[in-house]
Every structure is written in C-alpha cells, then in structure tokens.
Amino acid sequence: MKRVKRLATKHEQILKHIDGLPVGEKISVRQIAKALNVSEGTAYRAIKEAENQGYVSSIERVGTIRIEKKKKENIEKLTFAEVVNIVDGQVLGGKTGLHKTLNKFVIGAMKLDAMMRYTGAGNLLIVGNRTQAHEHALKAGAAVLITGGFDTEEPVKRLADELEMPVISTSYDTFTVATMINRAIYDQLIKKEILLVEDILTPVQETTFLTVGDRVQTWHELNQESGHSRFPVVDDNMKVQGMVTSKDIIGQEEMTLIDKVMTKNPMTVGDKMSVASSAHMMVWEGIELIPVVNDSHILKGIVSRQDVLKALQMSQRQPQVGETIDDTITSQLVMTSNRGKGEEVYNYGVTPQMTNYLGTISSGVFTTLVTDSANRALRSYKRGDLVVENMTIYFIKPVQIDSTLEIHPRVLDVGRKFGKVDVEVFNQGKLVGKAMLTCQLLDRS
C-alpha cells in the first residue's frame, strides 16, 4: 500500500476543529477565525462545508450550532433544529437542546390528561396557546411547537432553558405544521433509498495509489503486491493528477516518472454523486475504475465498475420505503397481453392527479409511461440495469382524464451495450403518441 504524508490544509483543520466541538455548541465565523488564526472567509467556507456534511445547522434568529451527524439508517428522524427551519419557527426557549432528535410528534388536540398520556421523552408536542400543556410537556421530556404564532409565559421559557428542551413558535396552523414535518420525513426516506458513491467507495486508507514522483518501477511493485493494474496518481497534497494503467506502462523504462506516462486530468466522481449517475458515466466512457474526490479534488477513495453494478443490483432488491412520483405512475401500468418477446401491451388509466391544468395527460407522466414500458420490453431480452440515453416523443392527440391508454413497446434492436425501442400509445384504437428510445444496457458482469 502506498500512502503519502502531508500537512492538513487550513480548511481541513477547521473542519476537524468543528467536528471536535460538543454537540449543541454555538459556532460563529469570527470565533472560528480567531481560534484557528484564519481569515473570516476561510472560516465561513469551512462552516458551510460542515453544514453540507450534516453536523452543523444554521437557524434564523438563533445562529449556527453543532448538531449530531445523522447516520444513514436514522435519516428518517429530524433534529429540533431542522424542525425550526421547516416551519420557519422562532425559538422561545431551550436553544441548547436544538441539536436533539425527536422520535415522534404528538398533536395536542385533546384534554390535558389525555394529551400527556401520549407525550413522552424525545417527543415534539404540537399545540396552540395552552401554557399548561407547554409546561407539562417539558417536564415529560418533550419539546413544544406552538402553532398560530402564539407566545408562551416566561416561567415556561425558563423551564425550557433549564431542561434544555426547545420551545418553538410558528405562524402556521397545526394541520399545516404536521403536513410539513411529515413531508420532510417522507422526502428523507426517499433520499435514504438513493445509493451514493460514498456508500460503496473503497476509502483512501485501503486504496493503492501512486504519486507524481514515483517511477514505472513502483507501478510494477504495486501490481505484484495488489494484483491490480489501474491506480490513481496524486501529488503531495493528495490531489488527483492522473490515472495510470497497464496500457500506459507497456514499453516504458523502469526509471521513467509516472507523470510522464499517466493519463492527465482523469474523470473523477464526487462522493455525493448517485451510484446510478456514476454507472452511466463509467459505462458510457468505458471506465473500469474511477477516483472519488472531494470539492478540493483530494482523493477520498476509488470505485470500480463492478462495485457500482453490484450496488445497483442490491438496491433493486431492497424494500421500498418512500414512494416517488415515478413509482406512483408506473405502479398503475399493467401488462394486458404478451405478443412475444419484447412486444408486450400495457394499459394505463389516466387519473385526475396525472393531468395538467387543461385536463389532459401531463407530458411528464406520458414520458414516464413510455420510458417504463420500454425498459420492461428490453428486460425481456437482457437482465440488468438500463439508462435512457436518447428519447424522441411525438404528442399526436390530447389524452383526457379517465381515458385508458394502450401502450405498445417494440424492441427494434438490442446489442451488448445498447437497445432501441419504438413505443406507440393508443386511446380507443386511435394513435395518440409515439416515442423512440435508445437505452444503455449496464452489464452485470
């Protein structure tokens, strides 16, 4: 294994400093700049990066605080700081508890005794201007979200500060607030399903790489040790400068510098890129291994084509948690007959939800339908994952609410890497739309 010793940049030093701060600590640009002797601009950029990474949160009228970084498996839980941002809230008391996570919310639309039976530690009680309920909830270990823009009494605010449980006020009504929080949790559940490169990468500590100062001889040594032939090339600051493969090495002298034979400015991916996007890039460009970098182009690890395709296969077998609009549309696409390989016929009923302001089928819904039917037709030829590369759609006649569409996908050509599908859409026997799609086929090998 080849590793390079280097000094951490100021940006990295600040991130490490913030990461070491106690959860709940208030952070300011001036304070960080003074503590680490850096400019306020450098401090600001690092704080924003920490916020992007999910262990810092900025709240209007409160400031920036250190919060606990959520693990992926607990992403469906929100911190009270996130609730403040979701409901445009104002923190009346208990600011030091904003970093805490709520495990459920309770709507206080009942008598006090009944309300308290449902309210426990770590809960969020959503209630109007019922001061007694605010006090009882705090004593039970719950935070309070007061709707309708109401305030609370000073003793309640002092109790919130003492118990470090937030009391938040919002101008929205109870129903709207509950809907907003539910939507936020649901959106995060959908995000939870999307595999990112950071979920599958081989981290830099376990990665074999070369430096620009190494020679061809070192490539041969690493090739013997690891059995691999493709390596990223970095400089002394761990920034990716190139990629080197066995093709670059053939016929080269042992003492030739690596930076003379490597492919410069190679394609890279960020750790927050979706696995599906990286698969598309790697298949399209014929790349077997790609470096993963951060915003400063510093090597964070590597991802192989095999890693990407294996992850895509695994994600297809996972249970569905949140449902996207595409999921809603395609779940109603039903196969009614099978005329042969790649020539199935599908039916779809146009519901009011799937129409535009004119009462005709939305172009986005129509696109999803032809795409999904084409994918299903191609899968009868080849198992694996598909990416639409090109699509041409013709809208011939408008389709009204409550119409039943008959969709005929027909595979025109299928090869090892690409497939072409023609899709015709009928309503009451009349052609209403056509589409031609070219798809990439992602091999599972």
Side-chain angles (χ1 to χ4, degrees):
M1 187 176 291
K2 183 77 176 174
R3 296 180 69 184
V4 177
K5 288 184 180 177
R6 67 185 182 95
L7 294 172
T9 63
K10 286 183 179 179
H11 184 80
E12 290 169 320
Q13 288 171 11
I14 299 168
L15 287 175
K16 190 174 179 182
H17 172 78
I18 294 170
D19 195 26
L21 292 173
V23 172
E25 179 98 353
K26 201 166 178 181
I27 299 166
S28 74
V29 170
R30 188 171 293 176
Q31 164 209 334
I32 295 291
K34 190 175 178 183
L36 297 178
N37 195 26
V38 295
S39 71
E40 291 192 0
T42 304
Y44 175 79
R45 286 190 292 275
I47 289 170
K48 281 294 169 192
E49 172 69 16
E51 195 171 345
N52 292 336
Q53 291 182 19
Y55 56 92
V56 159
S57 181
S58 294
I59 305 167
E60 197 176 345
R61 296 185 295 274
V62 172
T64 304
I65 58 169
R66 170 78 166 88
I67 60 170
E68 194 165 351
K69 191 171 183 178
K70 286 197 297 257
K71 295 179 181 175
K72 190 139 184 150
E73 60 269 23
N74 290 327
I75 200 167
E76 65 271 21
K77 293 184 178 179
L78 298 172
T79 63
F80 295 118
E82 289 169 311
V83 170
V84 175
N85 286 332
I86 290 164
V87 301
D88 298 326
Q90 181 179 352
V91 183
L92 305 177
K95 291 180 181 178
T96 51
L98 285 169
H99 65 278
K100 295 177 181 176
T101 303
L102 70 150
N103 49 41
K104 72 171 184 177
F105 64 84
V106 179
I107 296 175
M110 57 196 91
K111 288 185 177 179
L112 186 61
D113 291 347
M115 198 189 302
M116 287 306 110
R117 281 204 298 272
Y118 292 99
T119 307
N123 294 177
L124 174 67
L125 176 65
I126 302 173
V127 69
N129 58 338
R130 298 171 64 179
T131 308
Q132 212 175 354
H134 305 164
E135 186 179 343
H136 278 71
L138 288 169
K139 287 178 178 176
V144 179
L145 176 55
I146 306 168
T147 58
F150 292 109
D151 202 342
T152 190
E153 293 180 358
E154 287 303 319
V156 173
K157 295 177 185 178
R158 287 196 293 272
L159 182 63
D161 289 337
E162 183 186 321
L163 298 175
E164 296 187 346
M165 287 304 288
V167 174
I168 305 158
S169 175
T170 177
S171 57
Y172 295 111
D173 61 81
T174 302
F175 176 78
T176 304
V177 162
T179 304
M180 291 166 84
I181 295 173
N182 252 333
R183 182 72 255 176
I185 293 171
Y186 198 69
D187 284 349
Q188 290 194 343
L189 284 170
I190 291 171
K191 287 179 185 176
K192 178 181 177 180
E193 294 175 24
I194 300 171
L195 273 177
L196 302 179
V197 168
E198 66 180 355
D199 299 322
I200 65 165
L201 65 79
T202 302
V204 68
Q205 296 86 349
E206 300 167 26
T207 301
T208 310
F209 53 85
L210 291 158
T211 70
V212 288
D214 285 329
R215 301 183 184 274
V216 168
Q217 179 184 356
T218 314
W219 180 92
H220 286 293
E221 290 169 2
L222 290 181
N223 176 241
Q224 288 291 320
E225 287 173 24
S226 66
H228 298 302
S229 60
R230 298 176 176 85
F231 305 106
V233 183
V234 300
D235 62 17
D236 290 342
N237 292 317
M238 287 296 286
K239 288 188 176 182
V240 175
Q241 301 297 316
M243 279 292 294
V244 64
T245 70
S246 53
K247 288 179 184 176
D248 303 317
I249 297 299
I250 292 170
Q252 299 293 337
E253 296 288 334
E254 293 278 294
M255 297 310 288
T256 304
L257 286 169
I258 284 294
D259 72 343
K260 301 294 183 190
V261 300
M262 70 183 185
T263 302
K264 294 182 179 177
N265 302 316
M267 295 191 78
T268 59
V269 294
D271 58 347
K272 299 296 181 186
M273 180 184 275
S274 71
V275 170
S277 296
S278 60
H280 183 278
M281 182 191 295
M282 293 175 83
V283 171
W284 180 249
E285 299 290 341
I287 298 170
E288 294 295 328
L289 183 141
I290 197 162
V292 181
V293 298
N294 66 10
D295 292 341
S296 302
H297 215 64
I298 290 170
L299 184 68
K300 294 197 74 175
I302 55 167
V303 166
S304 71
R305 179 166 160 166
Q306 192 175 8
D307 294 334
V308 165
L309 298 181
K310 186 177 176 184
L312 286 175
Q313 292 162 35
M314 286 294 292
S315 68
Q316 287 184 346
R317 293 197 286 268
Q318 298 305 312
Q320 189 76 5
V321 182
E323 195 174 62
T324 64
I325 292 170
D326 275 13
D327 296 328
T328 305
I329 297 165
T330 57
S331 65
Q332 297 168 37
L333 190 64
V334 181
M335 186 168 71
T336 54
S337 69
N338 193 339
R339 299 180 176 181
K341 198 173 183 184
E343 290 195 26
E344 301 88 355
V345 177
Y346 297 92
N347 272 13
Y348 181 80
V350 181
T351 62
Q353 187 185 6
M354 302 305 170
T355 58
N356 57 27
Y357 71 100
L358 295 171
T360 60
I361 191 168
S362 157
S363 57
V365 172
F366 192 89
T367 303
T368 298
L369 290 173
V370 297
T371 303
D372 193 61
S373 61
N375 281 354
R376 294 187 194 190
L378 277 171
R379 282 200 182 96
S380 65
Y381 277 85
K382 194 160 184 141
R383 295 182 67 201
D385 301 294
L386 306 164
V387 177
V388 174
E389 188 61 44
N390 206 324
M391 174 164 49
T392 305
I393 295 182
Y394 300 94
F395 299 99
I396 298 167
K397 288 181 185 290
V399 178
Q400 304 299 320
I401 292 175
D402 297 330
S403 301
T404 300
L405 297 179
E406 199 173 82
I407 303 168
H408 298 246
R410 185 164 55 94
V411 175
L412 302 177
D413 186 24
V414 63
R416 193 168 69 87
K417 288 191 176 181
F418 287 94
K420 287 183 182 176
V421 187
D422 176 69
V423 183
E424 292 185 326
V425 183
F426 296 88
N427 180 25
Q428 295 180 341
K430 293 180 180 178
L431 187 67
V432 295
K434 275 182 69 74
M436 175 72 75
L437 297 92
T438 304
C439 301
Q440 279 188 41
L441 309 177
L442 309 184
D443 286 330
R444 290 190 170 182
S445 57

